[in-house]
Amino acid sequence: IYTRLVVGASDVYKRQGHIWLNVKCDPEWRDFWRSAFDSVIPAYHMNKEHWNSIILDGTVPDEDVERMIGESYDLTKPKAKN
């Protein structure tokens, strides 16, 4: 059982006793984040080429979580209309 909430550029939900964030990422960074932290994995129920799940279990420093959220926002924000 999990609870899901969509917040800006991220899917946020509770699963397996932790909060999970799905964030969109540039494919060039996708594998870096996955190899840097065991709790950054291919996104749950998302396109795994462009999305990672961050499991908030305390192993990913806050500044890295914030950086991934910021990148996800930049990749998903509405395009400016001319």
Side-chain angles (χ1 to χ4, degrees):
I1 297 175
Y2 69 89
T3 303
R4 181 172 175 233
L5 172 68
V6 177
V7 179
S10 303
D11 259 353
V12 180
Y13 53 94
K14 186 171 184 176
R15 182 169 188 256
Q16 300 173 342
H18 294 290
I19 302 297
W20 290 43
L21 303 174
N22 282 347
V23 292
K24 190 166 188 177
C25 55
D26 186 307
E28 292 180 19
W29 282 95
R30 173 198 63 217
D31 295 327
F32 168 79
W33 292 117
R34 292 178 189 175
S35 65
F37 301 104
D38 289 337
S39 56
V40 177
I41 60 174
Y44 183 69
H45 284 290
M46 302 293 278
N47 178 326
K48 287 151 183 48
E49 181 179 346
H50 297 282
W51 292 82
N52 281 337
S53 285
I54 309 167
I55 304 167
L56 299 181
D57 61 1
T59 61
V60 180
D62 290 347
E63 52 274 0
D64 289 323
V65 172
E66 291 170 6
R67 182 175 176 176
M68 287 184 267
I69 291 170
E71 179 182 344
S72 185
Y73 175 79
D74 289 342
L75 292 169
T76 60
K77 67 183 176 185
K79 306 292 185 234
K81 294 181 181 180
N82 293 330

